[in-house]
Amino acid sequence: MKNIYFLSDAHLGSRALKHTRQQERRLVRFLDEIKDKAEAVYLLGDMFDFWFEYGTVVPKGFTRFLGKVSELTDNGVEVHYFTGNHDIWAWEYLVEECGVILHHEPVTLSLADQTFYLGHGDGLGDETRGFRIIRSIFHCRPLQRMFRWVHPDIGVNIGLNWAKHSQMKHREQGEPPYLGEDKEPLVLFAKDYLRSHPDINFFLFGHRHIELDLMLTHQCRMIILGDWISQFTYAVFDGERLYMENYVEGETEV
């Protein structure tokens, strides 16, 4: 089989980041370098810093990324897009125009006789009360429909500025470090889920912007994918092994 790739958290279009066009081009070059080696690509959320689909309008920009994703799907590469906490509001556009397979919830699937649990990671584990409240508001369908009544020039600006505030807060305070097996929310979630689903071989998440490769049991690993802002990390499954890589332009071999 060909390789299967997993990556997350590019936050394309973020107003808190410099050189966002170069960042998008770097991501596109990576996708171009793997296009002939890939059976599938799994994008595990927050690829956009803010994404909201109106009935006939989507946010401006990202043409290089969306074009490359469309090229991959046109050539038979499966591209799975998982919504995160910054791009919850993805619906028909990415499916109909770009050919992606869209997931709003974590999924369990079998790849080469290995069982994977895949998701962005937000809402799993012991998030703060404030985060849970905001998440419930963002996921509320009546409120989502009401937001569509706001003119896109206003609505998208609200979303991008909200996301910028979140990004700036993380940059000023620093990304929360790995908390350890007994405190890291996603690790606690995976361990608890594994008790009732012992067949899982791999948990893969984004969201935390840290790179983590942890053995939970002798047959189960958990990976947090890092990000595509500063780390440019991704995972590769070749049908037998799952391993982490860091993208250095011009040096992709896997």
Side-chain angles (χ1 to χ4, degrees):
M1 62 175 289
K2 291 186 175 181
N3 291 340
I4 298 174
Y5 297 86
F6 306 86
L7 58 146
S8 71
D9 294 276
H11 290 266
L12 296 175
S14 172
R15 291 178 174 175
L17 303 175
K18 295 180 180 179
H19 312 301
T20 55
R21 184 63 56 81
Q22 289 91 326
Q23 178 202 16
E24 180 186 10
R25 285 173 172 158
R26 185 171 185 170
L27 175 59
V28 168
R29 283 192 286 269
F30 167 74
L31 294 175
D32 190 62
E33 288 181 24
I34 68 169
K35 65 184 180 182
D36 295 326
K37 310 165 190 174
E39 178 177 314
V41 177
Y42 288 80
L43 306 173
L44 296 190
D46 284 0
M47 299 305 293
F48 305 104
D49 202 42
F50 176 75
W51 180 271
F52 188 95
E53 295 178 20
Y54 292 82
T56 56
V57 176
V58 296
K60 176 183 177 181
F62 324 117
T63 53
R64 292 164 182 81
F65 173 66
L66 295 174
K68 184 55 63 176
V69 168
S70 300
E71 179 187 344
L72 290 174
T73 60
D74 285 348
N75 290 333
V77 178
E78 282 190 4
V79 177
H80 294 255
Y81 194 103
F82 288 70
T83 56
N85 51 300
H86 282 251
D87 47 13
I88 301 163
W89 310 278
W91 293 293
E92 295 87 2
Y93 181 85
L94 295 176
V95 176
E96 296 176 358
E97 298 299 324
C98 302
V100 308
I101 300 168
L102 188 64
H103 304 278
H104 286 281
E105 300 291 341
V107 300
T108 301
L109 71 162
S110 179
L111 301 172
D113 298 325
Q114 298 292 301
T115 303
F116 287 73
Y117 183 97
L118 307 175
H120 179 61
D122 66 308
L124 304 178
D126 186 23
E127 299 280 9
T128 65
R129 183 172 181 270
F131 182 87
R132 291 197 301 270
I133 292 172
I134 291 174
R135 189 175 187 277
S136 66
I137 292 172
F138 286 172
H139 280 265
C140 178
R141 293 308 296 269
L143 292 178
Q144 290 173 355
R145 287 192 288 269
M146 289 175 62
F147 193 79
R148 280 189 170 186
W149 300 344
V150 179
H151 190 281
D153 285 350
I154 299 172
V156 172
N157 268 305
I158 290 172
L160 286 172
N161 286 330
W162 178 282
K164 177 183 178 181
H165 173 75
S166 175
Q167 287 281 356
M168 292 300 294
K169 182 179 178 180
H170 279 291
R171 292 182 68 183
E172 291 169 1
Q173 298 179 355
E175 196 66 40
Y178 174 54
L179 301 175
E181 286 191 49
D182 58 339
K183 292 183 179 180
E184 185 66 40
L186 287 174
V187 174
L188 295 175
F189 167 82
K191 287 184 174 182
D192 183 65
Y193 191 85
L194 194 59
R195 293 187 184 99
S196 56
H197 300 80
D199 58 325
I200 302 293
N201 300 114
F202 300 103
F203 290 90
L204 273 81
F205 301 113
H207 185 49
R208 279 283 278 116
H209 294 227
I210 60 174
E211 185 180 357
L212 178 68
D213 189 345
L214 178 68
M215 291 298 301
L216 299 179
T217 70
H218 69 282
Q219 64 178 14
C220 181
R221 285 167 63 194
M222 174 184 160
I223 286 178
I224 300 179
L225 291 166
D227 65 39
W228 272 72
I229 296 172
S230 60
Q231 301 176 68
F232 304 99
T233 45
Y234 61 98
V236 187
F237 180 60
D238 63 8
E240 297 181 359
R241 299 179 301 130
L242 178 70
Y243 49 95
M244 291 289 292
E245 290 286 345
N246 176 269
Y247 176 57
V248 179
E249 291 185 270
E251 295 184 6
T252 302
E253 297 179 356
V254 295

